[in-house]
């Protein structure tokens, strides 16, 4: 929509509007064929996914999981990430966008695991502290470690996408997060830092309770910072000098529902909040901008950033 609005080639619209990041995602094994049928396809993990990307279908767009309803791993195996030329055509894409910061974007530990097991199933097994939940989290960790260990030198940083929070709190208790996820996350994050890459952690929802843990583990940047549900003044004042924040512009409010002037005023407010606390900030939407957001609102943000 923004490419059409600005009359630009869709391949280069992000360069035009000034996106500083170039995202590189892992590719399927070169011999694996993705077949789309009835708006769905099955990936290398055996997970059936909706191509429309609707969060109202299945479990957040995931239609079927290979281990859903089971409580044992059986003969299930994760794909071998080290095989299959996962970075084909990546260097040529980077050469097309030479002035952008290259981030390897991948699904993080918790989401990677429940995509295989089922969402409620994993939470129940974690709550019961079952050997099955530990084994599945370990398998997911090993797969992600293979991704990090094979990162090419031209990757600048890694952005892990997973959601630990909902609109009011964490999806689990902080104690469970620290017991089941944190030790494994620490292993993964240590490998990112050992490789000399910057570390971005994405989680939607209210994750205020574990921000100190993320800082302790060496996270360089946290996103998306949803202003509709977070105490922005508290978080910026308390943690803004210890970690950078990315996002913080309302994707559930101002950008889709406000006016262009509202969008600009919110952007100005964020700059003032972060500047007042000498905090580090990368301006951007707090998550994906909804398709129904008016192009004029997004353009107002783009032009504000271009003219800063």
């Amino acid at each position: 929509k923004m490419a059409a609005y600005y009359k630009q080639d869709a391949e280069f619209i992000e360069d035009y509007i000034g996106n500083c990041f170039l995202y590189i995602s892992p590719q399927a094994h070169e011999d694996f064929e993705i077949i789309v049928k009835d708006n769905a396809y099955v990936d290398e993990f055996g997970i059936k996914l909706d191509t429309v990307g609707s969060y109202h279908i299945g479990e957040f767009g995931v239609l079927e999981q290979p281990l859903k309803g089971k409580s044992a791993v059986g003969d299930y195996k994760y794909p071998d990430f080290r095989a299959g030329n996962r970075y084909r055509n990546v260097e040529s894409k980077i050469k097309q966008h030479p002035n952008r910061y290259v981030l390897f974007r991948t699904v993080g530990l918790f989401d990677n695991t429940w995509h295989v097991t089922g969402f409620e199933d994993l939470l129940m097994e974690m709550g019961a502290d079952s050997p099955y939940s530990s084994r599945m989290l370990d398998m997911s960790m090993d797969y992600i470690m293979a991704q990090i260990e094979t990162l090419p030198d031209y990757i600048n940083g890694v952005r892990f996408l997973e959601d630990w929070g909902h609109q009011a709190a964490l999806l689990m208790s902080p104690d469970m997060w620290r017991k089941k996820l944190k030790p494994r996350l620490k292993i993964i994050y240590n490998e990112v830092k050992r490789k000399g890459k910057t570390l971005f952690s994405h989680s939607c929802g209210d994750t205020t309770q574990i921000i100190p843990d993320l800082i302790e583990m060496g996270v360089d940047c946290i996103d998306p910072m949803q202003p509709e549900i977070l105490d922005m003044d508290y978080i910026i004042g308390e943690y803004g000098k210890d970690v950078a924040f990315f996002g913080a512009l309302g994707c559930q409010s101002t950008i889709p529902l406000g006016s262009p002037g509202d969008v600009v005023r919110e952007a100005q407010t964020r700059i003032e909040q972060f500047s007042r606390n000498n905090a580090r900030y990368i301006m951007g939407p707090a998550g994906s901008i909804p398709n129904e957001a008016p192009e004029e609102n997004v353009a107002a943000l783009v032009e504000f950033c271009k003219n800063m």
Side-chain angles (χ1 to χ4, degrees):
K1 288 174 72 175
M2 296 313 297
Y5 180 90
Y6 281 115
K7 297 181 173 58
Q8 297 288 318
D9 187 306
E11 172 65 26
F12 296 97
I13 182 60
E14 293 189 32
D15 296 277
Y16 179 81
I17 68 175
N19 185 359
C20 58
F21 297 128
L22 177 66
Y23 291 115
I24 301 297
S25 297
Q27 299 180 63
H29 190 290
E30 57 190 339
D31 294 331
F32 182 82
E33 184 179 4
I34 292 177
I35 300 174
V36 178
K37 182 179 180 181
D38 298 327
N39 294 324
Y41 70 96
V42 177
D43 69 8
E44 279 188 281
F45 295 82
I47 301 164
K48 189 174 182 180
L49 296 156
D50 165 51
T51 58
V52 179
S54 172
Y55 277 75
H56 301 290
I57 297 175
E59 288 191 343
F60 313 106
V62 181
L63 302 175
E64 295 176 14
Q65 297 99 328
L67 294 183
K68 186 174 177 63
K70 300 180 181 179
S71 57
V73 176
D75 59 358
Y76 182 81
K77 293 182 180 179
Y78 268 66
D80 180 3
F81 187 83
R82 291 181 174 84
N85 191 14
R86 306 287 181 166
Y87 297 100
R88 56 192 181 276
N89 305 321
V90 168
E91 287 191 81
S92 61
K93 182 176 182 180
I94 292 173
K95 289 177 181 177
Q96 285 184 299
H97 311 277
N99 298 317
R100 290 164 67 183
Y101 194 83
V102 183
L103 281 180
F104 180 77
R105 181 172 58 182
T106 189
V107 180
L109 177 69
F110 178 64
D111 285 42
N112 188 286
T113 308
W114 76 252
H115 287 177
V116 174
T117 64
F119 182 71
E120 291 185 0
D121 298 53
L122 179 60
L123 285 174
M124 292 292 288
E125 295 288 346
M126 289 172 61
D129 197 19
S130 70
Y132 169 68
S133 67
S134 297
R135 177 64 182 131
M136 289 307 304
L137 287 167
D138 284 342
M139 290 175 69
S140 176
M141 179 185 69
D142 290 344
Y143 177 80
I144 295 170
M145 286 293 287
Q147 292 182 323
I148 307 308
E149 290 166 1
T150 56
L151 279 177
D153 291 339
Y154 51 72
I155 300 291
N156 300 120
V158 180
R159 185 180 180 214
F160 292 107
L161 303 176
E162 54 187 322
D163 292 329
W164 304 311
H166 57 75
Q167 294 291 98
L170 292 174
L171 290 165
M172 62 201 79
S173 71
D175 287 343
M176 184 186 292
W177 185 90
R178 292 180 181 118
K179 180 178 181 179
K180 302 294 289 187
L181 300 182
K182 184 176 178 179
R184 296 174 173 89
L185 291 170
K186 191 169 184 177
I187 292 170
I188 295 168
Y189 292 177
N190 283 346
E191 181 62 17
V192 174
K193 306 302 279 191
R194 190 191 70 80
K195 296 278 289 188
K197 312 298 182 185
T198 52
L199 174 55
F200 286 64
S201 175
H202 164 96
S203 174
C204 292
D206 188 347
T207 59
T208 305
Q209 291 173 296
I210 58 171
I211 290 176
D213 299 85
L214 299 176
I215 294 170
E216 172 201 323
M217 290 191 291
V219 171
D220 295 297
C221 187
I222 295 173
D223 75 272
M225 296 292 294
Q226 292 169 255
E228 299 87 357
I229 61 175
L230 298 177
D231 185 337
M232 299 297 295
D233 281 325
Y234 169 76
I235 290 175
I236 294 168
E238 190 74 13
Y239 305 114
K241 294 180 182 178
D242 299 315
V243 67
F245 291 106
F246 168 33
L249 301 179
C251 279
Q252 296 172 306
S253 54
T254 313
I255 297 176
L257 302 175
S259 67
D262 294 331
V263 174
V264 171
R265 280 188 289 274
E266 184 173 48
Q268 291 171 326
T269 298
R270 288 295 166 263
I271 291 174
E272 291 167 2
Q273 283 179 307
F274 280 91
S275 298
R276 187 166 61 244
N277 291 277
N278 294 316
R280 291 175 286 165
Y281 178 47
I282 303 170
M283 179 166 283
S288 299
I289 296 175
N291 288 337
E292 64 268 21
E295 293 96 321
E296 292 79 11
N297 286 6
V298 181
L301 177 59
V302 170
E303 299 310 316
F304 172 77
C305 291
K306 282 179 173 286
N307 293 316
M308 281 177 59

